Amino acid sequence: MTRTHFSRAFNQLERIVCTVALLGFVTLIFAQIVSRQLFGHSIAWTEELSVYLFVWFAYFGASFAALHFAHNRVTFQVKRLPRQAAVLLLLIADGCWLLFTVSVIWVSADFVMFKSLPYWDSQTLGVPMRWVYLVIPVSFLMMALRIVQATVARVRSGVDQPFSVALSLTSADDEPDDDEPPSQGRAL
């Protein structure tokens, strides 16, 4: 499998997980509202499953946002620096972010694999909580890969504006919408 095929599959995995989770929790919440309002009866398991789907959606969405530099970032100080200093500061910030994600992977994987009790199941569904909490190390691993991928692309492209880099990382199948603003990147 080539790097572009892997990247495309990686993008599809995140999109599929996010889409299924979003559709799932919205459908379950809608069904719960209809059930309560029309039939006066609550479907207990839908609340728990919709919360789990929402959490998975949020974590995988955060991973996908890392590729597009869509996370909040304070940049006013970077804009006032000379270009080389700005690039260095952004690389240091991305390095700190990467260290944070690796530490979360380490702690959460340790918890999921070794510290969570094997008989600890969810209240309504009876699903082992390890499967629920597995989203943390998996999504942070994906986020770490995305940080590295986006930072390498930023350095290679010579553009210091996140939007430009995000556009250059999308494949031919993932073209941006026409209503997105044009790139405002400046060469380094």
Side-chain angles (χ1 to χ4, degrees):
M1 181 181 277
T2 64
R3 187 170 47 170
T4 57
H5 286 78
F6 176 75
S7 179
R8 203 171 291 149
F10 197 40
N11 287 346
Q12 292 298 357
L13 172 69
E14 285 174 326
R15 287 184 178 171
I16 290 169
V17 169
C18 285
T19 302
V20 168
L22 177 65
L23 288 173
F25 81 76
V26 167
T27 302
L28 289 172
I29 290 171
F30 179 74
Q32 180 72 295
I33 291 169
V34 168
S35 175
R36 282 183 183 174
Q37 296 299 319
L38 294 181
F39 306 116
H41 177 68
S42 173
I43 309 169
W45 60 270
T46 59
E47 290 182 37
E48 187 172 305
L49 183 57
S50 64
V51 167
Y52 296 156
L53 289 173
F54 178 73
V55 168
W56 277 72
F57 169 75
Y59 276 107
F60 273 84
S63 170
F64 192 70
L67 174 66
H68 298 283
F69 293 98
H71 289 279
N72 291 334
R73 180 182 285 218
V74 179
T75 59
F76 72 90
Q77 76 281 14
V78 175
K79 292 177 183 177
R80 297 190 183 274
L81 293 173
R83 287 185 185 164
Q84 291 176 339
V87 170
L88 180 63
L89 185 60
L90 288 172
L91 289 174
I92 291 170
D94 286 345
C96 292
W97 188 15
L98 185 60
L99 286 174
F100 172 74
T101 58
V102 168
S103 66
V104 171
I105 293 166
W106 182 272
V107 171
S108 62
D110 180 54
F111 174 77
V112 169
M113 300 303 243
F114 305 112
K115 294 200 169 82
S116 63
L117 301 173
Y119 54 84
W120 186 26
D121 295 337
S122 65
Q123 287 285 11
T124 310
L125 295 172
V127 174
M129 291 304 289
R130 285 183 176 177
W131 291 106
V132 176
Y133 289 122
L134 187 64
V135 71
I136 300 170
V138 169
S139 65
F140 271 82
L141 175 64
M142 293 176 72
M143 189 181 304
L145 294 173
R146 289 301 198 180
I147 293 167
V148 170
Q149 181 184 16
T151 303
V152 166
R154 180 188 342 206
V155 170
R156 282 186 182 165
S157 69
V159 176
D160 64 352
Q161 286 293 325
F163 190 77
S164 305
V165 175
L167 286 179
S168 69
L169 291 175
T170 57
S171 67
D173 297 337
D174 302 331
E175 288 298 319
D177 295 336
D178 291 334
D179 59 341
E180 290 185 21
S183 170
Q184 298 295 321
R186 60 183 166 115
L188 296 175

